[in-house]
Amino acid sequence: MAENETLECITEHERILQEIESTDTACVGPTLRSIYDDQPNAHVRFMEKLDARIRNHDREIEKMCNFHHQGFVDAITELLKVRADAEKLMGQVTDTNRRLQEAGREVTAQTEEVIRCRIQQRNMATTVEKLQYYAALKTMEQLENVYIPRVSQHRFCQIMAENLPRLREDIKEISMSDLKDFLESIRKHSDKVGETAMRQAQQHRTFNSAMAKQTSMGHYTKPVYSLNGRTHTHNDLMMDEDAGEEDEADEEGDRETFENYYRKQRKKQARLVLQPQANMGYGFPVNRLFDLLFEVRDQYNETLLKKWALVFRWIFELDNYSPIPVETEEEYKLVVSRFPFHDAEIEKQDFPKKLPMSQSVPQIYTQVKEFIYASLKFSESLHRSSTEIDDMLRKSTNLLLTRTLSSCLQNLIKKPHIGLTELVQIIINTTHLEQACRYLEEFITNITNVSPETVHTTRLYGLSTFKDARHAAEGEIYTKLNQKIDEFIQLADYEWGMAESDGRASGYLMDLINFLRSTFQVFTHLPGKVAQTACMSACKHLSTSLMQMLLDTELKQISMGAIQQFNLDVIQCELFASSEPVPGFQGDTLQLAFIDLRQLLDLFMVWDWSTYLADYGQPTSKYLRVNPATALALLEKMKDTSKKNNIFSGFRKNDRDKQKLIETVVKQLRSLVNGMSS
């Protein structure tokens, strides 16, 4: 045995060593922990095994190093040989670069000279063009003001005087066209123009600051220029130049018009350039940032959903599941201000009165609105359109209703302490919350100003949440009602061998019927079909339970007195069904739940076997709902070989004939049962 354990330990150590050698270091911890969880002192043997494995690896590493040592030495030798050649090549490259730079210096100087010449040529052409306009304007002015008045008596002079204004307008139009073309061209190259202007402005600012510094030190004198035999300072030239430009513009007579147009168009261009695009943060793409914000928004909504799940659970825990009492008009207005409740009948009632829903309904409604505000607080910072924000809010609210609130309602309905009264109140509550969903849609619309009629918006489909919760509560009502019926039936204590009945219904059954009456009075606040379904379900379950009690296989013997007592109890059930415990049933619909029991008991009470056997299978049979197998099972329980409890013990003279009659009926019932099974 010890040898087997040792072999297993060695094998396990081999496996652990392989895991350590082959897996990631993050997984070593759990592997090593398994050694200490193994047999006592197993870690000592493992350490020995590990040392041996380490020595083995050291030997392999040493062999590998010895094997590759000579190749490594050869590689280093070759590298040292190459280093000298590399240094020589570096010197040659440096010398070649120096000679190339010297050779290209002259070409660079000539290129710069060509550029300067081209700029001068372009400026001269522009100046000639402007001088031509200026000469034409000057000539027109001289003709109009000097020469034409001298010879105004001639007809051709009059014609020239009439045509000069038209010619001036043509020149104005041509000038305006050139100005527009110029503005269009600088708009296309606005980035380069702006760059040049900013650079020149900076140079001018630097120059002015340097001049101001020299002036303050007393070492600067304005430069003097000679022009046409006159001396001018720099400022004089600037003034003369401005005066010349003014004279040129004044020759046309529309300087103000051109200046205003130019300034207006440049301001428009500046606004277009400076205004960022809708999808840019100062000219930089921010798509990834918005994607991140949307992911953060989703996480934020998930956090909100978790928070509100706790809020909903807390509200349900504190609810008393009773209608809200209102003592005064002020209390009524306070509730209505928190929850949109309108009921004409209740409004007509005098105070004090009760509202149908419990206190959790206005609290839930208020918390849904608070959730919408919290979701909006993040969404409105995303700089999205109103339609997109509206869509975000509706989707978030749908998640709150269909996932968070729905889960809380389903868990609440399944809690053990929630009884029939609480379930009825939950159904009423969900009905009012479902009706309030349209007010939540209006609430979102008022926040975002997005009309659902004009824009396709996501609808609040939280209605399904309250429908599902209501259906679950209804199913739980049916289940709990049947469980209560079973609890009462378990208290039944029939004396199955009694000679005569007590003459009155059993106590347990009367208690059960009283419970059902009081329960169905509470159901009056439920929707009609729910109450009717619950009542029909309860009656069917009661009928089935009584039938199972009668046919229980552990019950071996039943006397006619017990049948009579059982019949009294079924009569009470039928009276309850006919008393219309829940309004809305037509005719004897509810009594039909006990029709199987009634026909079976009638058959045995009257002992009408001849009619049953004769009419069996006919649709008009009086005992159409009595199954032969059921009748046979009950008849077997009533047949007794001892004379003590025989149902015909009072008829001693005909005892033998009666026994034969029973045997005959049993045989016929068995043949019917066998015929059905075949």
Side-chain angles (χ1 to χ4, degrees):
M1 187 67 178
E3 293 180 359
N4 290 336
E5 292 180 355
T6 303
L7 290 175
E8 292 179 359
C9 184
I10 293 172
T11 304
E12 180 66 14
H13 288 171
E14 286 291 338
R15 183 187 66 78
I16 292 173
L17 287 172
Q18 291 178 0
E19 287 187 5
I20 292 174
E21 292 173 344
S22 60
T23 59
D24 189 20
T25 56
C27 304
V28 172
T31 304
L32 294 178
R33 191 179 300 113
S34 64
I35 299 170
Y36 289 90
D37 294 339
D38 207 348
Q39 302 174 6
N41 299 325
H43 66 284
V44 178
R45 293 192 294 273
F46 176 74
M47 289 296 296
E48 295 173 354
K49 192 75 175 178
L50 184 61
D51 290 338
R53 181 63 63 92
I54 291 172
R55 289 193 298 271
N56 187 28
H57 282 305
D58 288 341
R59 287 194 296 271
E60 292 180 357
I61 292 171
E62 185 177 358
K63 290 179 181 178
M64 186 175 295
C65 289
N66 291 333
F67 179 76
H68 292 287
H69 176 71
Q70 187 59 41
F72 177 73
V73 172
D74 295 340
I76 293 296
T77 304
E78 290 293 329
L79 189 60
L80 292 173
K81 293 179 180 179
V82 171
R83 183 174 66 179
D85 295 336
E87 291 176 352
K88 182 179 180 182
L89 181 61
M90 185 63 183
Q92 294 176 353
V93 170
T94 303
D95 183 60
T96 302
N97 179 60
R98 179 181 54 77
R99 287 187 281 108
L100 185 61
Q101 293 293 336
E102 292 177 355
R105 189 174 293 113
E106 183 178 355
V107 176
T108 303
Q110 292 177 356
T111 302
E112 292 176 353
E113 183 65 25
V114 169
I115 292 174
R116 283 196 298 270
C117 290
R118 287 183 177 177
I119 292 175
Q120 291 175 359
Q121 182 181 9
R122 184 188 61 192
N123 292 340
M124 290 172 65
T126 304
T127 303
V128 170
E129 182 180 358
K130 298 301 180 185
L131 287 175
Q132 289 175 353
Y133 277 111
Y134 180 74
L137 291 173
K138 275 292 186 183
T139 303
M140 287 176 58
E141 183 185 11
Q142 290 177 358
L143 284 173
E144 194 172 19
N145 297 329
V146 179
Y147 299 112
I148 290 180
R150 295 179 182 177
V151 289
S152 58
Q153 67 275 16
H154 299 287
R155 185 179 178 186
F156 74 91
C157 293
Q158 296 176 0
I159 295 174
M160 289 179 63
E162 292 174 358
N163 289 333
L164 282 176
R166 191 181 307 115
L167 183 59
R168 182 178 285 106
E169 287 298 322
D170 292 341
I171 295 175
K172 180 180 177 181
E173 291 179 2
I174 294 172
S175 301
M176 182 62 74
S177 177
D178 291 343
L179 179 60
K180 290 180 180 179
D181 293 341
F182 170 72
L183 289 172
E184 182 67 24
S185 65
I186 63 174
R187 180 183 177 184
K188 293 179 180 178
H189 304 90
S190 59
D191 51 348
K192 295 181 180 179
V193 173
E195 180 183 355
T196 303
M198 292 179 70
R199 184 172 60 251
Q200 291 180 354
Q202 179 63 31
Q203 293 173 355
H204 185 65
R205 188 180 296 109
T206 304
F207 174 78
N208 288 342
S209 61
M211 293 299 102
K213 185 176 180 181
Q214 291 184 13
T215 302
S216 62
M217 295 175 64
H219 297 298
Y220 174 74
T221 57
K222 294 182 180 179
V224 179
Y225 303 93
S226 175
L227 183 63
N228 295 331
R230 297 171 56 191
T231 58
H232 301 273
T233 63
H234 178 77
N235 291 343
D236 293 336
L237 286 178
M238 294 298 294
M239 292 175 63
D240 290 343
E241 184 178 348
D242 292 341
E245 291 179 357
E246 184 176 356
D247 290 341
E248 181 180 347
D250 286 339
E251 294 298 335
E252 194 173 343
D254 291 295
R255 174 177 179 176
E256 185 177 355
T257 302
F258 280 82
E259 278 189 355
N260 291 337
Y261 178 79
Y262 175 81
R263 296 181 187 279
K264 183 178 179 181
Q265 293 300 320
R266 289 297 286 163
K267 286 180 180 179
K268 286 184 179 180
Q269 292 181 2
R271 281 196 294 269
L272 290 174
V273 171
L274 295 176
Q275 183 178 0
Q277 300 179 13
N279 60 346
M280 303 290 279
Y282 299 102
F284 295 97
V286 292
N287 293 335
R288 296 180 63 185
L289 178 60
F290 276 116
D291 293 341
L292 176 62
L293 285 175
F294 290 149
E295 292 180 8
V296 174
R297 180 204 63 191
D298 295 339
Q299 294 297 323
Y300 176 78
N301 282 338
E302 288 296 326
T303 303
L304 290 182
L305 292 174
K306 292 177 182 178
K307 177 183 177 181
W308 258 261
L310 297 176
V311 173
F312 290 152
R313 289 195 206 110
W314 185 249
I315 291 175
F316 290 142
E317 286 293 330
L318 297 180
D319 195 7
N320 58 6
Y321 297 99
S322 301
I324 300 176
V326 286
E327 302 291 335
T328 62
E329 181 72 25
E330 288 73 19
E331 291 184 12
Y332 179 80
K333 289 181 178 179
L334 180 62
V335 175
V336 174
S337 66
R338 296 169 55 202
F339 180 77
F341 174 77
H342 306 286
D343 190 300
E345 294 297 326
I346 294 180
E347 290 175 358
K348 293 177 183 177
Q349 297 176 6
D350 297 329
F351 291 98
K353 53 189 175 184
K354 292 183 178 181
L355 305 183
M357 64 278 188
S358 67
Q359 62 185 8
S360 65
V361 172
Q363 293 173 349
I364 292 293
Y365 183 81
T366 302
Q367 286 301 321
V368 172
K369 291 171 66 176
E370 290 296 328
F371 173 88
I372 294 173
Y373 277 129
S375 181
L376 174 67
K377 193 172 184 180
F378 188 93
S379 298
E380 67 182 0
S381 301
L382 296 179
H383 303 290
R384 312 304 291 177
S385 66
S386 299
T387 305
E388 290 175 304
I389 293 178
D390 183 89
D391 192 59
M392 291 178 192
L393 288 183
R394 292 176 185 274
K395 288 180 178 178
S396 300
T397 308
N398 278 331
L399 278 179
L400 179 73
L401 297 178
T402 59
R403 195 172 78 184
T404 305
L405 182 56
S406 176
S407 176
C408 292
L409 282 170
Q410 296 291 342
N411 293 335
L412 173 68
I413 291 168
K414 297 297 182 181
K415 286 185 178 294
H417 71 277
I418 298 296
L420 287 170
T421 304
E422 289 80 5
L423 289 170
V424 170
Q425 190 61 57
I426 289 173
I427 291 176
I428 296 171
N429 289 350
T430 54
T431 302
H432 287 283
L433 286 172
E434 179 182 343
Q435 294 171 354
C437 270
R438 62 187 182 93
Y439 294 100
L440 289 175
E441 289 198 345
E442 294 177 3
F443 177 71
I444 295 176
T445 299
N446 292 334
I447 290 177
T448 60
N449 292 323
V450 177
S451 175
E453 288 77 16
T454 57
V455 182
H456 176 69
T457 57
T458 304
R459 308 293 297 182
L460 286 186
Y461 46 86
L463 300 174
S464 61
T465 293
F466 304 115
K467 283 186 172 64
D468 294 342
R470 189 158 55 251
H471 292 159
E474 292 168 5
E476 199 67 19
I477 282 179
Y478 308 147
T479 301
K480 287 188 180 294
L481 198 56
N482 292 344
Q483 289 175 353
K484 294 294 292 186
I485 292 174
D486 292 340
E487 292 176 7
F488 280 102
I489 288 179
Q490 288 175 1
L491 300 176
D493 188 19
Y494 286 103
E495 186 181 345
W496 296 109
M498 63 194 310
E500 294 182 358
S501 67
D502 294 338
R504 61 179 183 273
S506 303
Y508 87 93
L509 189 75
M510 296 307 298
D511 292 340
L512 171 57
I513 290 177
N514 290 332
F515 164 76
L516 292 177
R517 287 189 187 279
S518 62
T519 299
F520 291 136
Q521 285 179 356
V522 178
F523 282 17
T524 55
H525 300 294
L526 287 174
K529 290 184 178 180
V530 178
Q532 293 172 17
T533 304
C535 188
M536 178 60 76
S537 173
C539 289
K540 286 184 177 180
H541 185 72
L542 176 58
S543 175
T544 302
S545 300
L546 291 174
M547 182 70 79
Q548 290 175 349
M549 185 190 304
L550 203 61
L551 301 177
D552 189 1
T553 55
E554 295 183 1
L555 179 59
K556 304 297 183 183
Q557 182 178 342
I558 302 177
S559 66
M560 181 55 74
I563 292 291
Q564 293 170 350
Q565 181 64 39
F566 201 83
N567 183 60
L568 291 176
D569 293 343
V570 174
I571 289 174
Q572 290 297 323
C573 295
E574 292 172 323
L575 290 174
F576 168 74
S578 62
S579 66
E580 197 177 18
V582 171
F585 286 106
Q586 296 181 352
D588 57 351
T589 303
L590 201 56
Q591 295 95 300
L592 291 177
F594 300 96
I595 189 65
D596 292 358
L597 269 176
R598 171 49 49 214
Q599 291 187 6
L600 180 65
L601 292 174
D602 284 349
L603 175 61
F604 277 84
M605 295 284 292
V606 181
W607 205 252
D608 198 6
W609 293 105
S610 57
T611 303
Y612 176 76
L613 294 171
D615 294 345
Y616 178 76
Q618 300 296 324
T620 58
S621 173
K622 181 180 179 181
Y623 306 102
L624 182 64
R625 305 299 296 267
V626 179
N627 190 291
T630 303
L632 177 61
L634 185 57
L635 188 59
E636 291 284 357
K637 295 175 184 293
M638 299 185 67
K639 184 179 69 172
D640 187 21
T641 54
S642 65
K643 303 296 179 68
K644 180 180 178 181
N645 290 325
N646 194 286
I647 60 174
F648 300 108
S649 58
F651 306 95
R652 301 294 182 184
K653 297 178 182 180
N654 299 324
D655 183 48
R656 186 177 300 174
D657 294 338
K658 299 297 182 182
Q659 288 293 333
K660 289 182 179 179
L661 177 60
I662 292 175
E663 293 295 338
T664 302
V665 172
V666 168
K667 289 180 180 179
Q668 291 178 337
L669 288 175
R670 284 176 178 168
S671 64
L672 289 176
V673 172
N674 293 332
M676 291 175 61
S677 61
S678 61

